[in-house]
Amino acid sequence: MTADRQTGLWQTRGRSGAAFAAAPTAAVKGRDARCGGGCCAGPGRALLGRGMTLITCCLLGEGPNVVVYSLDADGGAAGSHWQRVLRNHRIHGIKERRSLSSEAEQRTLAVFGGKGLIVLELCARGKEVSLTELCQLCELHDWIWDLQWLAGSTGTLTHVGLALGHNSVALYDYASHRTLREVHCEEKCILYSAYLVGDSWDELVVVAGTVFNQLVVWRMADGSNEEARIKPQRRVSGHDGVIFSICYLKSKGILASASDDRSIRVWDVGDLQAPRDPVRCLLVCYGHQSRVWSVRLLSDYFISIGEDATCIVWNYNGEVVQSFRGHKGRSVRAVAVHEARGWVATGGADTGVRLWHIRGPEPNGNGLVQLNFSPPHRNGSPKAVKLVDASHLLVMTDAGAIYSYDLASKRWALVMEDANYQSYCLLEVVQLANGIVLCAMGNLTGHVKVFPLCCPTESEEKRLYEGKVHSLSWAACPRGDPSRHVLFASGPGGVLLWLEVSCCSSGRVASVVEKCCYLLPVCRHRWHTSVAFLPEEGLLVCGDRRGSLLLFPCSTALGSAFSICSVPGQGDAADDPVGHGLVCKDSGDKPGLISSQGEGNRPIQGPISLLFGLHGKLGVTSVTCHDGFVYSTGRDGCYRQVRVQDRQLQVLRKLKPCKGLEWIEQLHFAPGGNLLVLGFHASHFVLWSSRTNEKLHSVPCGGGHRSWSYGRWLASEVFAYIKSGDVFIYQSRGGPGRQHLLREPLHGRELTCVRHVGTIRTRGCCPVDILVTSSEDMTANVIAVSESSYSLAPLAAIGDHISSVRALAVASGSWQEETAAWSALLFSAGGRAEIECYRLLLSCDHDARSGVACQVVHVASHQLDEHWDHMRNKHRVIKMDPETRYMSIAVVAGTDESCLFLAAACSDGSVRIFLMLEPAQKLLLVAESFHHQRCVLKVETFMHRVAGDRSSGGPVPGCPGSQLWRERPPCSADSGRTISCGQWR
């Protein structure tokens, strides 16, 4: 057997009832024998036999439940099984018994936590996993910190050693539910951790982490004193806090401890049967920002997890090899390691389960390289850099020269040189579907040159403007012709030209034709930054340097007379010095535009829809169309989800991917629903994964105010940039993704409220409950819960609040036939006196894991401080505490279906009433009462009828100012009809 095949089930304990194990199990598949491997704290063997294929499993202990995930060869979840085993106890650890036969398909596991213990049999055949209880739940008199399988004197296999909470060890027979022996240590104290080593009772050694910040080592075979207590062999001191975790590696003779003092210490103890005296401390490692919960020792590394939600991989020189940061909130609670495959499974306080990959000792191709673009060998200094593909990049110099660099051969080559494009030049590159690479250049005199990279001399040059070309951008041809591509050019006066570039099969540029001419709104920075087509609607979306989003028609059928209406409340004096708002009129004169085709009367089209200053004054950085929606990014640290309805732009949501990413440049929609966000955090280029909530790359490039280019291909990623007059490239050639999500995370902190929206039936007639949860982590989640499969899937995350979300309310919804979706109104309220309102659109999506899709549309928001500012309360006659919180909210249906009343209980002793006007997208404060002298904790609505009065509607007589209504109570989302295949109950 190889070392890989001799590895058994690895597990480690977490805190607050979380535990993991990675277990290999067997299933018959053909005649080949392949090893899956696994890992455990105690020794064991992998299942291996002729005709057997090993399946790796990850065991999760959550509360009293055990969840088993079957993993494929890459670490992805292939199946899962859930079972409740410990009743009212929380699982603290899982231990496997060493298998007597390497061909056995079953594995015996001991699951313990609190004062409970149960023994299970795990059987996995392919993706099918089952757990069978081998005994009834065992209840002990003390907390169980660790468990070790022991061989009985008569060969019995039902004995276990238990390290208990008051520094004692018990020999327990789980078959008869009897404690055969129990011995106590002379050190009378409670324990925070314990670790058992040994295969029999006489060999058993316990390392205990005491409340006195010490490690106490004592053996069962040692004699006891007159009080029948065993004297410790060693006391190991050094930590300044209690010890939460202990791990021992017999092959190296070292012991590791994790402590409340935020450190991990590695001790040289040798054989624990006869530990060295004195015990020497080999390493003291500080890397966590908070308490360290657990530590695991491997042959080449050791791994620690902590309260800072970080998993750190260390080498035995005390250096950080990797740092995994993906869990939300405050803690990573449990960890398990599959050393043979380099897998690390972590479970966090956010209920998420992640599988990470440890980098091996061999280099993976990641690194930052300086290309040494020295002027003596090249003409000019680099000013622009563009990636062509994974192995080629182009560099434009201030002397008008373009050079190419081959990343494989590390050689430079001159592509072309044109003195007309020196000093100031724009460079944009695109690769067509047939493999042809087109380059576009623009200069100060309004010239644009287009040429294929394969034959730069076969170029097409036009003078488009009398002034300089402000920006260039490529876009795919809306007709889908692979031999054509669209180039957009912005010049003086806000003129935007659509140029259609066609190529021959040989790669030569056949023609450059002006198709359309557009005019951008009047502003200080009047040029486009990005363009995307909506071919189904015959429209294009444009983002400009002023931060606005514009919608243009692709057709030029509209006449030349147009106007852009002013947008109330938008713009400023600097953008509109004459004070007439945003008005642009075409009088036939095209400022700065030169027609190369003699068509001086070509109409100039203005935008048919405008979202002025959507991303602030720093500009829109990208526009992307995906799944029928438009996504725009900007330097305001946010991206917007926009839809086009009736040829008008409508903002659905404003999203912030992560904290600290002030500049968002692009969005990449990767397979599997992963959204990759490119941006800059201070001086670092950052690639952020929204699904795994981690930084995939962070490159110290100096910031985004420089020429840079990023490319992502199947086997590699490349980031190139210019800094200090030279060109740098960062390459990442890792294989598969760094991590897998075995379970999606929810909230990183405590839940504050849960609301049931309704139940939807999918195509298989399986009911799926839709819930909304809120938390102290300033977010609200829409989740789908399936009782049949015991699964929970997040549908949407809402993170618009600036403080904790304490209360939720759901108004009665309706079925929309035109969108085939159920629509409901959601209110969320919390700290800083903030209320947000959203429209939830829920429909069937058979491609989604939950079978349900959720679209969130932001409707309105309200903050008390903004309310008083709007009322021009300059002298603060009415004081508003900025720490005012909404403790509870309730929806009251008004007499008109188009308006709703919202009652809010506030921490300042008031009850406030809001009016929701959805067509106007306004939430108005209409009344408030300060009847209470203290914080109001709860507000609810109810039905009130006057005795003998059968009429309905209207306020209660004799109750001026009362918020009670004589009407039927508002329908909750839970009461309604059941409609099959995606309709609502």
Side-chain angles (χ1 to χ4, degrees):
M1 281 189 181
T2 64
D4 184 31
R5 295 174 179 175
Q6 294 173 352
T7 313
L9 175 138
W10 290 71
Q11 73 89 32
T12 185
R13 294 168 298 178
R15 301 184 60 81
S16 298
F20 283 92
T25 58
V28 177
K29 283 192 179 180
R31 297 183 177 180
D32 60 329
R34 295 189 297 269
C35 181
C39 0
C40 75
R45 292 183 180 179
L47 299 180
L48 181 66
R50 181 171 298 177
M52 310 298 289
T53 300
L54 293 183
I55 306 298
T56 303
C57 295
C58 179
L59 276 70
L60 162 67
E62 184 180 44
N65 308 316
V66 171
V67 184
V68 184
Y69 292 99
S70 302
L71 306 181
D72 56 27
D74 293 331
S80 63
H81 174 77
W82 177 92
Q83 188 167 325
R84 186 181 181 94
V85 296
L86 276 194
R87 295 182 190 169
N88 59 332
H89 300 287
R90 292 183 177 180
I91 296 175
H92 180 71
I94 302 173
K95 283 290 186 75
E96 177 217 13
R97 183 174 64 192
R98 182 181 301 177
S99 178
L100 299 179
S101 172
S102 61
E103 298 186 359
E105 294 184 357
Q106 295 81 20
R107 307 304 290 264
T108 303
L109 307 173
V111 181
F112 60 94
K115 299 179 181 180
L117 165 68
I118 195 168
V119 179
L120 307 174
E121 183 180 74
L122 169 67
C123 181
R125 295 179 177 89
K127 297 180 182 180
E128 298 296 326
V129 178
S130 63
L131 289 172
T132 305
E133 296 182 2
L134 299 182
C135 69
Q136 294 182 350
L137 179 65
C138 306
E139 299 275 358
L140 283 90
H141 65 280
D142 203 354
W143 287 77
I144 304 173
W145 276 120
D146 195 20
L147 179 146
Q148 181 71 8
W149 288 95
L150 301 177
S153 57
T154 59
T156 180
L157 300 177
T158 61
H159 291 178
V160 293
L162 304 176
L164 303 180
H166 286 77
N167 208 2
S168 65
V169 178
L171 177 62
Y172 191 82
D173 187 346
Y174 68 83
S176 60
H177 285 216
R178 290 188 304 119
T179 300
L180 305 180
R181 293 184 62 182
E182 183 175 0
V183 294
H184 295 262
C185 181
E186 190 180 76
E187 187 80 16
K188 298 180 181 179
C189 66
I190 62 173
L191 304 182
Y192 274 76
S193 57
Y195 192 87
L196 293 172
V197 179
D199 296 329
S200 65
W201 176 259
D202 293 334
E203 298 175 355
L204 200 60
V205 180
V206 59
V207 183
T210 70
V211 71
F212 304 117
N213 310 339
Q214 286 183 332
L215 291 171
V216 177
V217 183
W218 54 288
R219 299 191 308 164
M220 305 306 106
D222 292 343
S224 57
N225 57 16
E226 57 274 8
E227 296 182 2
R229 292 182 175 270
I230 298 177
K231 182 178 180 180
Q233 281 192 333
R234 296 288 181 271
R235 285 186 171 89
V236 182
S237 302
H239 281 290
D240 295 326
V242 295
I243 298 166
F244 291 128
S245 177
I246 305 166
C247 188
Y248 174 66
L249 187 61
K250 185 175 182 181
S251 61
K252 290 181 176 290
I254 57 175
L255 186 76
S257 55
S259 172
D260 183 42
D261 62 5
R262 306 184 182 185
S263 72
I264 304 103
R265 294 177 182 257
V266 180
W267 313 87
D268 183 12
V269 296
D271 188 358
L272 282 179
Q273 296 293 334
R276 295 185 179 131
D277 190 15
V279 174
R280 185 165 56 96
C281 182
L282 301 177
L283 289 173
V284 180
C285 301
Y286 287 93
H288 289 274
Q289 303 300 313
S290 190
R291 294 180 287 183
V292 187
W293 292 136
S294 184
V295 61
R296 288 295 316 274
L297 292 174
L298 309 178
S299 58
D300 298 320
Y301 310 103
F302 62 96
I303 297 173
S304 60
I305 58 172
E307 196 178 23
D308 58 353
T310 304
C311 175
I312 299 180
V313 182
W314 310 77
N315 61 22
Y316 283 103
N317 294 324
E319 300 167 339
V320 176
V321 177
Q322 281 177 277
S323 181
F324 302 133
R325 299 175 183 269
H327 288 278
K328 301 178 183 178
R330 296 180 175 176
S331 256
V332 175
R333 292 289 185 176
V335 62
V337 182
H338 190 310
E339 188 172 5
R341 295 192 179 183
W343 292 349
V344 179
T346 56
D350 59 357
T351 72
V353 183
R354 298 168 184 263
L355 192 70
W356 313 81
H357 295 265
I358 304 178
R359 290 195 298 260
E362 69 278 358
N364 60 354
N366 293 7
L368 191 62
V369 179
Q370 184 175 354
L371 301 187
N372 298 319
F373 189 92
S374 53
H377 304 287
R378 256 75 62 181
N379 186 11
S381 299
K383 290 298 180 183
V385 59
K386 294 295 176 183
L387 285 167
V388 178
D389 51 36
S391 57
H392 293 88
L393 63 86
L394 296 180
V395 175
M396 182 85 185
T397 71
D398 56 2
I402 297 180
Y403 292 88
S404 68
Y405 182 79
D406 192 321
L407 276 66
S409 63
K410 300 181 180 179
R411 291 183 179 180
W412 291 97
L414 178 65
V415 176
M416 69 169 296
E417 189 171 359
D418 191 338
N420 294 325
Y421 291 84
Q422 62 184 357
S423 180
Y424 173 85
C425 180
L426 302 175
L427 176 65
E428 291 295 332
V429 180
V430 66
Q431 188 171 24
L432 305 185
N434 53 14
I436 298 174
V437 177
L438 292 178
C439 304
M441 303 164 58
N443 65 6
L444 278 170
T445 59
H447 287 81
V448 171
K449 178 185 284 190
V450 181
F451 63 93
L453 187 60
C454 59
C455 46
T457 57
E458 301 291 336
S459 63
E460 185 79 15
E461 186 174 16
K462 289 179 179 291
R463 189 182 183 195
L464 303 177
Y465 306 103
E466 294 179 352
K468 74 174 181 180
V469 181
H470 287 289
S471 62
L472 295 172
S473 62
W474 289 101
C477 185
R479 294 187 296 272
D481 189 348
S483 64
R484 297 175 184 268
H485 224 69
V486 177
L487 177 66
F488 287 93
S490 287
V495 176
L496 174 64
L497 284 179
W498 171 350
L499 307 175
E500 189 170 273
V501 182
S502 58
C503 296
C504 302
S505 58
S506 61
R508 185 177 61 85
V509 176
S511 63
V512 177
V513 181
E514 298 177 18
K515 300 297 290 184
C516 292
C517 185
Y518 303 106
L519 193 64
L520 303 179
V522 174
C523 58
R524 182 175 298 163
H525 305 293
R526 200 178 180 188
W527 60 85
H528 86 284
T529 55
S530 55
V531 175
F533 282 103
L534 296 171
E536 294 82 3
E537 291 84 2
L539 303 169
L540 66 90
V541 184
C542 173
D544 69 3
R545 178 58 179 79
R546 180 52 182 84
S548 304
L549 209 61
L550 307 99
L551 188 66
F552 292 101
C554 292
S555 173
T556 58
L558 296 177
S560 61
F562 71 92
S563 64
I564 303 173
C565 298
S566 61
V567 182
Q570 295 182 347
D572 50 36
D575 292 328
D576 183 20
V578 297
H580 294 112
L582 292 175
V583 179
C584 303
K585 294 184 178 180
D586 182 20
S587 60
D589 179 22
K590 306 169 191 176
L593 180 63
I594 297 176
S595 176
S596 61
Q597 297 175 336
E599 299 179 4
N601 294 323
R602 177 186 296 275
I604 304 181
Q605 174 66 49
I608 59 177
S609 180
L610 168 66
L611 297 175
F612 180 78
L614 183 65
H615 286 276
K617 293 186 177 182
L618 296 179
V620 177
T621 53
S622 73
V623 176
T624 308
C625 297
H626 180 73
D627 282 349
F629 297 100
V630 178
Y631 295 86
S632 63
T633 62
R635 299 183 187 179
D636 57 349
C638 300
Y639 68 93
R640 266 79 170 180
Q641 186 185 35
V642 182
R643 71 179 174 188
V644 179
Q645 191 169 25
D646 298 329
R647 297 172 69 88
Q648 295 295 310
L649 294 171
Q650 180 185 1
V651 179
L652 299 182
R653 296 184 66 190
K654 173 184 175 183
L655 300 106
K656 195 174 183 68
C658 65
K659 186 178 180 181
L661 202 61
E662 309 97 348
W663 180 335
I664 300 179
E665 189 66 31
Q666 292 178 16
L667 300 178
H668 283 210
F669 293 90
N674 189 15
L675 175 61
L676 302 179
V677 182
L678 280 70
F680 292 90
H681 173 59
S683 61
H684 286 65
F685 167 80
V686 173
L687 180 64
W688 178 267
S689 172
S690 297
R691 184 172 184 266
T692 59
N693 196 40
E694 64 165 339
K695 289 181 182 179
L696 301 181
H697 302 292
S698 181
V699 184
C701 65
H705 298 282
R706 66 192 64 250
S707 179
W708 60 271
S709 183
Y710 169 80
R712 183 181 181 88
W713 294 271
L714 292 177
S716 66
E717 297 172 78
V718 182
F719 175 69
Y721 62 95
I722 295 175
K723 183 179 180 180
S724 302
D726 206 346
V727 181
F728 295 79
I729 59 170
Y730 172 83
Q731 288 182 286
S732 173
R733 298 187 181 275
R738 288 181 57 195
Q739 66 163 296
H740 293 279
L741 281 178
L742 301 184
R743 177 189 289 176
E744 297 278 356
L746 289 180
H747 293 286
R749 298 183 65 179
E750 297 83 0
L751 267 70
T752 55
C753 188
V754 179
R755 286 288 180 265
H756 184 260
V757 179
T759 304
I760 194 169
R761 292 190 180 275
T762 59
R763 176 177 293 179
C765 294
C766 298
V768 177
D769 290 294
I770 307 300
L771 305 178
V772 183
T773 61
S774 63
S775 170
E776 292 283 348
D777 63 0
M778 303 186 294
T779 64
N781 284 336
V782 183
I783 58 177
V785 181
S786 174
E787 294 185 9
S788 59
S789 60
Y790 301 103
S791 63
L792 183 150
L795 300 179
I798 301 172
D800 294 330
H801 282 265
I802 60 175
S803 187
S804 62
V805 186
R806 299 189 62 89
L808 298 170
V810 179
S812 58
S814 61
W815 179 260
Q816 295 183 350
E817 296 293 344
E818 63 275 8
T819 59
W822 175 263
S823 177
L825 207 60
L826 169 68
F827 294 92
S828 61
R832 304 296 294 271
E834 181 182 13
I835 300 178
E836 301 288 343
C837 178
Y838 304 91
R839 173 65 65 179
L840 302 183
L841 301 175
L842 296 140
S843 59
C844 268
D845 185 357
H846 306 298
D847 296 329
R849 181 167 63 93
S850 61
V852 180
C854 177
Q855 175 63 46
V856 180
V857 180
H858 185 265
V859 178
S861 62
H862 187 279
Q863 285 185 257
L864 280 183
D865 55 351
E866 294 181 358
H867 169 77
W868 295 121
D869 287 342
H870 181 69
M871 299 293 291
R872 301 187 182 277
N873 186 23
K874 300 295 184 181
H875 300 287
R876 291 286 189 261
V877 178
I878 302 175
K879 300 294 183 181
M880 201 284 296
D881 185 3
E883 297 301 323
T884 300
R885 302 178 301 278
Y886 293 119
M887 310 300 293
S888 174
I889 56 176
V891 175
V892 185
T895 56
D896 187 358
E897 294 182 357
S898 62
C899 67
L900 292 173
F901 289 96
L902 183 72
C906 307
S907 63
D908 60 357
S910 69
V911 175
R912 292 182 169 89
I913 306 299
F914 298 87
L915 175 62
M916 180 66 225
L917 300 175
E918 187 174 0
Q921 295 188 336
K922 289 185 178 181
L923 186 62
L924 304 176
L925 176 62
V926 295
E928 57 184 351
S929 169
F930 286 88
H931 174 76
H932 298 277
Q933 302 299 316
R934 294 291 186 270
C935 172
V936 184
L937 298 179
K938 192 72 175 176
V939 61
E940 285 289 349
T941 62
F942 60 94
M943 182 182 64
H944 176 84
R945 290 186 183 276
V946 179
D949 188 0
R950 297 184 179 181
S951 62
S952 63
V956 179
C959 297
S962 173
Q963 300 304 315
L964 305 180
W965 294 83
R966 292 184 309 165
E967 61 180 6
R968 63 181 179 86
C971 296
S972 66
D974 301 334
S975 60
R977 57 197 179 101
T978 301
I979 308 172
S980 62
C981 191
Q983 295 182 338
W984 203 258
R985 182 174 67 196

